Amino acid sequence: MSVLQEYERAPKRLKVSAEDEEELEEGEESDSASAGLLGDDEEDEGQSRARWSSADRKDSGSEAHRIAPSPVVHVRGLCESVVEADLVEEPVYIAGQQAYFNYSTSKRITRPTNADDPNSGNKVLLLSIQNPLYPITTDVLYTVCNPIGNVLRIVIFKRNGIQAMVEYPSANAQKAKAALNGADIYAGCCTLKIEYARPSRLNVIRNDNDSWDYTKPFLLRRGTSRGKGRQRQAILGEHPSSYSDNGYGSHCPLLPLPGNNRFKRSSHDVPEVVTYPLPQTSSYMSHASSSVAMVSGLHPAKMNCTRIFNLFCLYGNIEKVKFMKSVPGTALVEMGDEYAVDRAITHLNSIKVFSKRLNVCVSKQHAVIPSQVFELEDGSSSYKDFAMTRNNRFTSAGQASKNIIQPPSCVLHFYNVPPCISEDDLQRLCTEHDVPGFIKYKVFDAKPSSKTISGLLEFDSKTHAVEVLTVLNHYQIRIPNGSNPYTLKLCFSTSSHL
């Protein structure tokens, strides 16, 4: 056989090998727990696999699917322009966020109470609500969860962000987890991550916004603003109903999931779900009835209007800030809406800033009026209007959806920093402003064309991170020969440590 003939036959052998690999990968995927999830790119492939006959699969033999551990990894679906360096050096992104892989010290994955077993009887789900731009109440969760199956009890708690437990009859819990895990309550936010909880039954002593026992409607309710009877109309779609008055767009139902959603399922995987009716009035009015928050416990020498803005802007737009002359260490913060106030209370109430514990609550005032303006201890004004600042982060629905609402943590995410700024420069910046320095530093890989860098800063404690963010958020970084300064932006990270 000539060299030319051997060269011409090589592509054919490679093609056969690739088909074998595809068949192998398909067999492995069919055994996985997520076999029912198909993204846009996988849908066509799934349809083509469906055309394979069961006889063809049996002919391949089950032994062909058992591959011994190997130092070689087979990668499919690459474009023609990929080179070896791309596979070694390029980061891996999952759902738009860079992922990091390493060996684990664990030998197996365990779940409480053998929850994945349909016969285990686990009927309580733990819901973690990620990026909660809008308030989450029992009304909202009931309307989201009840179409899947009869909800018995709901308990909402706010220790590590916003979480809730929902109790079903056992069979319905399995269906609810399969249908709702990974879905957004509102477009681009309030994402549900669902696991099985340890308790087998929830104990509810009061029916209100944070807990409800649907088998005992006679339980004492907090407040009388709801009137008679339980209003089970939740506000689903892109946002709560009152947001339509602010130009945030029209409503859309939560389920069924959009066709281009990566959690798309076939029709037999998800039960029929009704389109929820739009409420005529907001049931959130009892949650935060004013767009003004009152903040007390402020350090008289270290806190001013700008630093309050730096901290509170993570949870909503800031319109005005005014210190009260009659009550030292207290300020009024007018935010964009009552939902922003609710988020600020949820995440900032009782945190420590400069050795003083903040108390954040809803103010009786409905607007901040610039009266009795005086000079604070640091020489700045007791009143400041932030309505036109570019540093507000919720000025549009698109911009708001990019913000990940997080409680304070010891890790800060920094971005919009010029590439010439080093770890030592940032450490020096902390020292110059008399705030604690960070103990760990990590910079993300940036594209060659990027004009800024971003990364993470880990501090000794959550209090240190809060103080640094309060002081240095929106700091203007000037570089030699630069026409405009860079605005350093900080927020709390989803990472607990580096």
Side-chain angles (χ1 to χ4, degrees):
M1 181 183 296
S2 67
V3 175
L4 179 60
Q5 291 173 326
E6 180 69 22
Y7 179 79
E8 290 174 345
R9 292 185 59 186
K12 183 179 292 185
R13 291 204 305 271
L14 179 60
K15 181 177 180 181
V16 172
S17 176
E19 290 174 351
D20 292 340
E21 289 286 0
E22 287 186 356
E23 184 177 356
L24 171 62
E25 292 294 316
E26 192 279 334
E28 292 178 346
E29 187 174 358
S30 65
D31 293 335
S32 66
S34 60
L37 298 177
L38 290 178
D40 294 328
D41 296 335
E42 294 172 314
E43 195 167 11
D44 295 337
E45 183 181 353
Q47 292 174 354
S48 65
R49 290 172 180 170
R51 291 194 294 266
W52 294 358
S53 66
S54 58
D56 291 336
R57 296 192 181 188
K58 291 179 181 178
D59 292 341
S60 63
S62 59
E63 293 299 328
H65 297 283
R66 297 193 180 99
I67 300 299
S70 168
V72 179
V73 177
H74 176 235
V75 184
R76 293 186 300 151
L78 302 176
C79 63
E80 297 180 355
S81 61
V82 170
V83 296
E84 291 181 6
D86 295 325
L87 297 177
V88 177
E89 299 174 2
E90 288 296 315
V92 176
Y93 289 88
I94 300 176
Q97 183 169 341
Q98 185 174 350
Y100 302 91
F101 295 86
N102 202 349
Y103 292 109
S104 172
T105 57
S106 302
K107 301 301 181 184
R108 61 189 296 267
I109 297 175
T110 59
R111 296 184 184 274
T113 67
N114 194 22
D116 284 334
D117 182 3
N119 300 318
S120 66
N122 193 310
K123 59 181 183 179
V124 180
L125 300 179
L126 174 63
L127 280 60
S128 298
I129 294 87
Q130 300 185 342
N131 197 20
L133 286 179
Y134 309 112
I136 301 299
T137 66
T138 50
D139 280 343
V140 172
L141 293 183
Y142 182 89
T143 310
V144 169
C145 298
N146 197 61
I148 310 299
N150 185 33
V151 172
L152 302 180
R153 299 168 190 88
I154 296 176
V155 175
I156 300 174
F157 48 96
K158 302 174 182 179
R159 295 177 195 154
N160 300 315
I162 297 180
Q163 294 181 303
M165 289 188 184
V166 179
E167 181 181 346
Y168 282 99
S170 57
N172 292 336
Q174 300 282 337
K175 297 177 182 178
K177 183 176 184 296
L180 298 176
N181 190 24
D184 292 343
I185 295 179
Y186 302 110
C189 64
C190 301
T191 304
L192 294 173
K193 293 300 175 70
I194 303 178
E195 301 175 4
Y196 291 95
R198 292 182 182 276
S200 59
R201 187 184 187 280
L202 299 180
N203 182 29
V204 176
I205 61 174
R206 189 183 298 269
N207 288 345
D208 58 15
N209 279 336
D210 295 325
S211 63
W212 204 284
D213 188 335
Y214 300 94
T215 66
K216 299 178 180 178
F218 54 82
L219 286 181
L220 180 65
R221 305 179 185 182
R222 290 180 185 170
T224 58
S225 60
R226 292 174 181 256
K228 296 182 179 180
R230 170 163 172 74
Q231 310 223 350
R232 290 181 177 169
Q233 290 180 329
I235 308 173
L236 299 176
E238 293 187 0
H239 41 69
S241 61
S242 64
Y243 273 71
S244 60
D245 299 333
N246 298 329
Y248 275 72
S250 58
H251 293 273
C252 63
L254 166 70
L255 292 172
L257 300 177
N260 60 349
N261 193 291
R262 62 190 180 96
F263 295 102
K264 181 180 177 183
R265 299 172 179 272
S266 59
S267 59
H268 59 80
D269 290 325
V270 181
E272 291 294 328
V273 180
V274 299
T275 301
Y276 304 107
L278 297 181
Q280 301 301 316
T281 59
S282 174
S283 61
Y284 285 124
M285 294 307 293
S286 61
H287 215 261
S289 57
S290 171
S291 60
V292 178
M294 184 170 69
V295 188
S296 59
L298 298 168
H299 194 287
K302 295 185 177 181
M303 290 298 288
N304 55 34
C305 295
T306 300
R307 291 182 175 182
I308 290 177
F309 172 85
N310 290 344
L311 181 59
F312 278 72
C313 73
L314 272 59
Y315 304 103
N317 288 337
I318 307 298
E319 300 290 332
K320 305 167 188 173
V321 177
K322 184 184 79 169
F323 278 77
M324 302 175 66
K325 190 172 185 179
S326 58
V327 187
T330 302
L332 298 177
V333 182
E334 183 178 342
M335 305 190 74
D337 48 59
E338 64 267 24
Y339 304 100
V341 172
D342 188 84
R343 293 192 295 267
I345 294 173
T346 299
H347 297 297
L348 298 180
N349 187 39
S350 298
I351 68 168
K352 274 192 172 183
V353 186
F354 302 121
S355 303
K356 295 182 72 68
R357 192 173 297 278
L358 297 187
N359 179 30
V360 186
C361 62
V362 181
S363 173
K364 295 180 181 179
Q365 305 294 328
H366 290 275
V368 171
I369 302 174
S371 60
Q372 293 184 324
V373 178
F374 58 97
E375 189 176 279
L376 300 177
E377 290 190 22
D378 65 352
S380 64
S381 174
S382 64
Y383 169 82
K384 194 167 184 179
D385 190 326
F386 294 95
M388 302 304 294
T389 180
R390 297 177 61 184
N391 292 328
N392 270 321
R393 304 182 183 184
F394 296 80
T395 54
S396 66
Q399 188 183 31
S401 65
K402 296 179 182 179
N403 297 310
I404 300 179
I405 305 299
Q406 282 289 115
S409 68
C410 62
V411 179
L412 294 182
H413 172 63
F414 70 88
Y415 57 102
N416 201 46
V417 173
C420 61
I421 297 298
S422 65
E423 177 181 357
D424 292 337
D425 293 327
L426 292 177
Q427 198 72 267
R428 192 179 306 113
L429 189 63
C430 294
T431 304
E432 291 174 354
H433 288 79
D434 195 26
V435 292
F438 49 87
I439 58 175
K440 290 183 181 179
Y441 167 88
K442 182 175 186 177
V443 62
F444 297 142
D445 294 332
K447 296 180 180 180
S449 59
S450 178
K451 297 180 180 180
T452 61
I453 59 173
S454 60
L456 300 176
L457 305 174
E458 181 178 349
F459 295 83
D460 270 328
S461 67
K462 178 174 67 176
T463 300
H464 287 177
V466 170
E467 292 175 0
V468 171
L469 183 142
T470 302
V471 174
L472 294 181
N473 196 14
H474 306 122
Y475 177 80
Q476 300 291 299
I477 300 178
R478 300 185 180 275
I479 59 175
N481 302 322
S483 57
N484 296 314
Y486 290 77
T487 301
L488 169 64
K489 294 192 176 182
L490 300 171
C491 63
F492 297 114
S493 172
T494 57
S495 302
S496 57
H497 59 82
L498 301 186

